[in-house]
Amino acid sequence: MTTVEAPETHLRENPFELAKEQLRRVAKTFQIDPNLVNVLSQCKKAVVVSTPVSMDDGAIQVFEGYRVTHNIARGPSKGGIRYHPDVTLDEVKALAMWMTWKCALVGIPFGGAKGGVICDPKKLSPLELQRMTRRYTSEIINEIGPEKDIPAPDVGTDPKVMAWIFDTYSMNVGHSVLGVVTGKPLNIGGSLGRLEATSRGALYCVREAMRKQGRKIEGTTVAVQGFGNVGSYLALFLHEQGAKVIAISDSQGGIHNANGINIPAAIAHKQETGTLAGFRDGEAITNDELVLIECDLLAPCALEQVITSDNADRVKARMIVEGANGPLTPGADEILDDRGVVVMPDILANAGGVIVSYFEWVQGLQEYFWKESEVNARLNDIMTRAFNETWNAHDQRGISMRTAAYGIAVQRVAEATMTRGLYP
Ligand code: NAD
């Protein structure tokens, strides 16, 4: 029996400490009661599970998994499940806290949660991945449920994994429970538009920001880091709107082409081979180089902490849209803010995913499904409203978009906590 250990991590600083620092900064600016800040600095519940799995060669491997709920003052907790070798409990806690703020900012009735398993899904066979998912689901089965905590996809998980979670939960309770998980495949109760929702929301955000600045997406030069669910659709949508996507990357490296990359061809290559490696529509660049490239818009859509106080002064983009959660550290934020770079923060920019997850949950509970145009129109309404609320606070108070977004969100959660009162 072997236990899978996390290799060297992409996390330079402890993400939960950074998330708490962000909260403290915002609480100071928005004068939030320190007693409440103490409550909101901690996660309500963190479960650590051991997930033994029979591998195809007959060996048993044990994977460590987590499910964390940060806060449920505004509704059941909601958050993705990450399969990645670098997952840590503190990373999951930070991601859970950001989910609380995200749901509050966009005004959907959820709290924040997140889950993760330390594993490399690319190295597991489909059957191993399925067994691991089903065992992990069984281990957290008392934590999740449509009125309690609702998982969704994140890095390394996809609709297929959500289908196994849905099935495992449903088999255990004896009937199909559509509302237990979102991001499901369409043929078992997924929502139209969910797959592209995070990127579509980010696109709406970029559109609104450009509108405020009297600019257009057409002709904008863009660099996108990460070419998974969020990065590839965002690159495609921007390409379709006439932007010139000059750089893209995945975990194995990137491509730069000043004349613009053929994004549909890149997506076809990635679908066929599972990687961007070997796609020859430009020169090879590293992920470190990609974030420093000369462009109008930079979209980090992979992992946390890719722009820190070490490289923020060399970022040349004029606008950043955080497709990923936590790609900028507070140190990087300060430098970019001083330099006048507009940063559309994660809890706003990538909220499209949880918004359409909310729609999927509602459709599942009602067993009544909407047209894609209806999903996208409602997403547009919510994103545009949240963007404008954030922009107005940023503009009127002279604070960064991040401080504005976090301030609005933390205030809403603090108010809900006060209204409910502290139990008992
Ligand atoms: P994914 O697994 O579909 O894709 C991740 C991509 O990042 C892959 O292309 C991978 O190769 C690449 N990558 C991994 N390590 C990298 C590295 N070190 N450098 C560059 N690229 C690297 O995951 P996703 O769902 O697209 O999630 C990406 C980010 O967006 C995460 O931060 C996630 O939390 C966030 N997010 C996702 C959703 C969603 O609906 N899927 C919603 C909100 C936020």
Side-chain angles (χ1 to χ4, degrees):
M1 186 138 72
T2 53
T3 299
V4 176
E5 303 271 346
E8 202 186 321
T9 172
H10 66 277
L11 300 167
R12 299 163 213 220
E13 297 176 61
N14 181 314
F16 190 45
E17 292 305 323
L18 294 186
K20 287 194 279 188
E21 188 183 327
Q22 283 170 333
L23 170 62
R24 280 193 294 270
R25 283 186 190 196
V26 162
K28 212 167 142 199
T29 309
F30 282 74
Q31 294 171 334
I32 292 166
D33 179 350
N35 281 318
L36 274 175
V37 177
N38 284 343
V39 175
L40 299 176
S41 294
Q42 297 304 325
C43 291
K44 173 181 159 56
K45 195 173 193 179
V47 174
V48 181
V49 299
S50 131
T51 309
V53 177
S54 301
M55 306 303 279
D56 292 347
D57 65 2
I60 294 173
Q61 267 199 27
V62 183
F63 299 87
E64 185 159 297
Y66 312 103
R67 186 71 192 170
V68 173
T69 296
H70 170 251
N71 186 281
I72 56 162
R74 300 182 61 264
S77 52
K78 184 94 191 72
I81 291 176
R82 179 171 291 195
Y83 287 175
H84 193 276
D86 297 357
V87 165
T88 67
L89 179 56
D90 274 355
E91 180 187 39
V92 179
K93 284 184 177 178
L95 290 163
M97 185 187 277
W98 291 329
M99 283 305 296
T100 304
W101 310 146
K102 194 179 299 181
C103 295
L105 177 67
V106 297
I108 57 175
F110 288 132
K114 207 79 182 190
V117 178
I118 305 172
C119 68
D120 186 346
K122 288 185 198 145
K123 294 197 177 136
L124 298 175
S125 74
L127 278 173
E128 289 168 345
L129 193 65
Q130 179 172 171
R131 285 194 289 267
M132 191 192 76
T133 300
R134 288 185 181 278
R135 181 61 190 252
Y136 168 69
T137 307
S138 304
E139 296 297 339
I140 61 164
I141 206 151
N142 293 325
E143 313 307 322
I144 60 174
E147 285 140 5
K148 221 177 178 181
D149 178 22
I150 306 124
D154 191 74
V155 175
T157 57
D158 59 13
K160 184 180 65 210
V161 172
M162 299 306 115
W164 294 326
I165 296 175
F166 161 67
D167 187 66
T168 304
Y169 186 89
S170 298
M171 292 307 280
N172 273 272
V173 297
H175 58 96
S176 287
V177 183
L178 287 179
V180 70
V181 66
T182 59
K184 298 183 292 298
L186 286 176
N187 62 358
I188 51 163
S191 174
L192 289 164
R194 173 61 185 89
L195 200 60
E196 311 88 350
T198 309
S199 319
R200 203 179 288 285
L203 175 76
Y204 294 154
C205 225
V206 171
R207 179 197 65 199
E208 291 304 310
M210 296 244 165
R211 195 175 275 168
K212 294 279 182 205
Q213 298 184 333
R215 293 164 56 198
K216 283 194 179 141
I217 291 181
E218 203 178 349
T220 299
T221 52
V222 186
V224 181
Q225 184 188 48
F227 209 65
N229 176 274
V230 181
S232 65
Y233 280 114
L234 182 58
L236 181 66
F237 292 156
L238 288 165
H239 172 83
E240 285 171 353
Q241 299 277 317
K244 206 195 275 184
V245 182
I246 59 167
I248 54 174
S249 70
D250 67 9
S251 57
Q252 301 191 28
I255 298 149
H256 177 223
N257 180 344
N259 296 320
I261 294 165
N262 181 342
I263 298 299
I267 291 176
H269 180 91
K270 176 99 185 178
Q271 269 167 0
E272 227 168 81
T273 65
T275 165
L276 281 176
F279 179 66
R280 301 190 199 287
D281 190 18
E283 302 137 31
I285 49 164
T286 64
N287 268 297
D288 290 345
E289 288 164 345
L290 183 137
V291 295
L292 304 180
I293 234 163
E294 175 79 47
C295 61
D296 299 316
L297 176 69
L298 174 64
C301 299
L303 297 171
E304 303 93 323
Q305 300 179 19
V306 291
I307 304 174
T308 66
S309 43
D310 291 339
N311 61 358
D313 57 341
R314 286 175 286 139
V315 168
K316 295 176 198 71
R318 292 155 198 80
M319 190 184 274
I320 298 178
V321 58
E322 290 187 324
N325 287 306
L328 274 59
T329 61
D333 258 347
E334 248 173 53
I335 295 168
L336 293 165
D337 198 27
D338 283 349
R339 292 184 40 214
V341 177
V342 176
V343 175
M344 277 170 284
D346 45 11
I347 63 165
L348 172 68
N350 68 35
V354 75
I355 293 169
V356 178
S357 272
Y358 166 53
F359 298 161
E360 180 177 333
W361 179 72
V362 169
Q363 293 170 79
L365 294 181
Q366 300 188 336
E367 310 222 8
Y368 176 73
F369 291 87
W370 312 346
K371 287 185 296 192
E372 187 167 1
S373 55
E374 206 172 332
V375 169
N376 291 341
R378 288 178 195 233
L379 171 64
N380 191 10
D381 282 352
I382 295 183
M383 282 303 300
T384 308
R385 186 188 64 211
F387 178 89
N388 282 321
E389 283 174 347
T390 307
W391 185 273
N392 291 344
H394 147 74
D395 202 30
Q396 286 159 14
R397 302 181 67 135
I399 51 180
S400 69
M401 286 287 278
R402 171 146 5 246
T403 307
Y406 277 59
I408 293 168
V410 174
Q411 271 181 323
R412 286 182 184 161
V413 180
E415 276 162 18
T417 307
M418 291 288 283
T419 306
R420 287 177 71 139
L422 193 64
Y423 180 83

